[in-house]
Amino acid sequence: MSSGTRRMKTKNKKKEGLGWMEWIRGWACVFHEFLFQRFMSSHLPNPLPLPPLSHLTCIVTGSTSGIGRETARQLAEAGAHVVMAVRNTKAAHDLIQQWQRDWSAKGLPLNIEAMELDLLSLDSVVNFSNAWNARLAPLHVLINNAGIFAMGEEQKFSKDGYEHHMQVNHLAPALLSLLLLPSLNRASPSRIINVNSVMHYVGFVDPDDMNVVSGRRKFSSLVGYSGSKLAQVMFSNVLFKRLPLESRISVVCLSPGIVLTNVARDLPRSVQVQYALIPYFIFSPQEGCRSSLFSATDAQIPEHCEKLKTGDKPICTFISQDCKHTKPSEEAQSLETANRVWEKTVEMIGLPLDALERLIQGQEVQCRYGTHQE
Ligand SMILES: NC(=O)c1ccc[n+]([C@@H]2O[C@H](COP(=O)([O-])OP(=O)(O)OC[C@H]3O[C@@H](n4cnc5c(N)ncnc54)[C@H](OP(=O)(O)O)[C@@H]3O)[C@@H](O)[C@H]2O)c1
């Protein structure tokens, strides 16, 4: 077989999915996390103690449930100004009232508010960003926490035309991160934190088929979820690489561990019960939010990011469920694919290719989404 044919075969295989070895290695990482997360994180206190945070403003997406809800509450109790960016503002206001009541005997009222954000609508992302940026306030920490794993569900598409997992877990947070750059820049040093997953190890992204519709791969919710999480790490690597060092905006992806939350809401009731019956292995949301809280507040993160940036292969920081610095999967570190994922993502979210550079310089950028545009 000529080397040209071999190259072509490898390229075609790359369009279909991971190689067997990568796939087995990926699942080994997933099972390792499931079986040993509690042992590996036994050094961590629960809850994770936080320093006083009254100097920080943090946006937490998807904070009405699970990991995000616990993250928002603990950040607010440590004194941060917290913005719950949620699709169900009524649920967020009810939570705020409850938290204020529980906290009233302990100190000053919590500095927490809710704003509407529906990640299944890129218009909503643009409107949220415009509303936030219009305050001309600094944003120290953006936590892209909201996510879906519609287990066993059929493939669905948003009104923007994108596969649900890809839109909620990757495309919409990518748009949000880029559009909020002016506010993050104002607060520098600041952080973009992506609640990712060990499942990115078994993910595969074909930049020419982000919606998994070409027929080269069969869609399942697992393919949708793991692919969207891998796309997020790849995008974050390029975002991190392209952000100027002097912006001092850190980009972090993290794994919360395997956590008992509403993420399993689409599983049949019988499976949900079995899932809840294995508490030894599964983290509570309070345990699962430790890597988010650590990534948002650890004082060493900006320095670590600066070191990574000046290294030979700039990839963003990845924090494991036991709050340690680790590396994402080999596939996620492929800069060639990551660059293509970046370009495809920027095109899909309706921004020009130089959006990052323009936004960081405080220039206006037109997005094809948002109610103020055609
Ligand atoms: N649980 C785990 O084992 C695990 C493992 C690895 C990674 N993660 C990641 O952790 C993150 C948090 O998930 P979780 O486990 O805490 O699940 P969860 O309890 O289901 O919380 C997910 C949150 O995302 C919000 N959300 C869903 N779709 C949205 C949309 N279109 N627009 C705005 N918000 C939306 C949900 O809002 P509603 O309350 O309105 O539904 C909810 O607040 C996700 O990114 C998930 O992928 C979880």
Side-chain angles (χ1 to χ4, degrees):
M1 191 194 309
S2 74
S3 64
T5 319
R6 210 175 301 121
R7 251 199 321 275
M8 187 63 83
K9 276 202 160 178
T10 316
K11 206 171 166 198
N12 284 342
K13 188 149 176 29
K14 273 278 163 209
K15 278 184 179 282
E16 285 155 23
L18 289 176
W20 274 104
M21 282 315 288
E22 289 157 301
W23 192 77
I24 291 170
R25 220 178 293 133
W27 277 109
C29 291
V30 175
F31 284 115
H32 184 267
E33 178 139 315
F34 178 72
L35 291 174
F36 299 112
Q37 64 177 11
R38 192 164 290 289
F39 173 70
M40 287 189 297
S41 61
S42 54
H43 63 288
L44 288 177
N46 180 36
L48 193 77
L50 295 177
L53 300 176
S54 52
H55 58 296
L56 294 186
T57 293
C58 313
I59 292 179
V60 187
T61 69
S63 36
T64 40
S65 166
I67 299 164
R69 170 170 158 169
E70 204 43 44
T71 306
R73 185 183 62 79
Q74 291 193 40
L75 288 172
E77 289 186 1
H81 169 209
V82 174
V83 180
M84 298 173 73
V86 297
R87 59 178 167 179
N88 183 347
T89 47
K90 158 93 177 63
H93 285 125
D94 289 349
L95 279 172
I96 293 174
Q97 270 185 12
Q98 181 198 323
W99 293 341
Q100 294 288 17
R101 265 198 312 273
D102 297 347
W103 187 251
S104 61
K106 299 187 196 154
L108 291 171
L110 304 175
N111 187 2
I112 186 160
E113 61 179 307
M115 281 175 74
E116 189 176 337
L117 172 68
D118 180 359
L119 299 174
L120 269 176
S121 154
L122 294 178
D123 281 343
S124 170
V125 176
V126 176
N127 294 339
F128 175 92
S129 310
N130 287 344
W132 178 265
N133 287 334
R135 295 186 184 190
L136 300 177
L139 172 62
H140 302 92
V141 185
L142 166 65
I143 306 186
N144 285 312
N145 164 82
I148 52 162
F149 188 176
M151 290 186 216
E153 294 263 300
E154 62 185 28
Q155 190 171 23
K156 288 189 187 143
F157 297 91
S158 69
K159 73 175 172 56
D160 301 313
Y162 303 134
E163 192 280 315
H164 271 197
H165 294 90
M166 195 51 86
Q167 170 139 354
V168 174
N169 300 345
H170 166 54
L171 296 171
L175 180 60
L176 185 67
S177 302
L178 287 174
L179 293 181
L180 290 177
L181 281 177
S183 297
L184 286 157
N185 206 20
R186 199 171 288 122
S188 165
S190 51
R191 307 174 189 206
I192 298 171
I193 315 283
N194 296 310
V195 181
N196 200 267
S197 169
V198 69
M199 294 295 287
H200 86 268
Y201 274 89
V202 290
F204 177 77
V205 195
D206 177 355
D208 298 326
D209 183 26
M210 301 277 277
N211 272 338
V212 197
V213 286
S214 69
R216 281 194 290 268
R217 286 171 301 150
K218 188 170 161 10
F219 179 84
S220 69
S221 50
L222 182 69
V223 166
Y225 181 76
S226 56
S228 66
K229 291 293 183 185
L230 177 62
Q232 183 177 57
V233 183
M234 288 180 161
F235 181 86
S236 302
N237 285 338
V238 181
L239 171 65
F240 172 64
K241 192 170 89 159
R242 289 175 77 132
L243 279 168
L245 188 61
E246 59 280 7
S247 73
R248 304 197 63 212
I249 301 175
S250 304
V251 182
V252 180
C253 288
L254 66 91
S255 165
I258 317 284
V259 190
L260 189 58
T261 64
N262 274 335
V263 84
R265 70 186 87 187
D266 295 312
L267 281 174
R269 187 83 196 110
S270 56
V271 184
Q272 280 190 40
V273 171
Q274 288 168 26
Y275 187 56
L277 282 179
I278 36 178
Y280 176 76
F281 294 104
I282 295 185
F283 278 172
S284 66
Q286 194 179 63
E287 292 168 310
C289 74
R290 290 178 296 189
S291 48
S292 294
L293 294 172
F294 174 84
S295 304
T297 62
D298 180 63
Q300 314 297 319
I301 295 249
E303 202 183 305
H304 186 84
C305 284
E306 271 168 39
K307 262 199 214 131
L308 281 179
K309 207 165 175 88
T310 45
D312 336 328
K313 196 176 180 185
I315 50 166
C316 74
T317 301
F318 198 98
I319 299 292
S320 53
Q321 44 74 29
D322 53 351
C323 299
K324 293 199 172 134
H325 290 265
T326 181
K327 281 192 176 156
S329 69
E330 280 292 318
E331 181 74 5
Q333 293 180 52
S334 153
L335 279 181
E336 193 200 325
T337 316
N339 282 325
R340 292 180 55 223
V341 168
W342 167 274
E343 283 175 14
K344 193 70 195 179
T345 300
V346 172
E347 180 196 317
M348 288 170 87
I349 59 182
L351 288 175
L353 264 182
D354 60 351
L356 180 147
E357 288 71 19
R358 284 164 55 187
L359 285 159
I360 207 82
Q361 285 165 19
Q363 293 173 21
E364 283 265 323
V365 166
Q366 289 295 308
C367 177
R368 79 165 174 269
Y369 296 99
T371 49
H372 62 292
Q373 267 125 31
E374 289 297 304

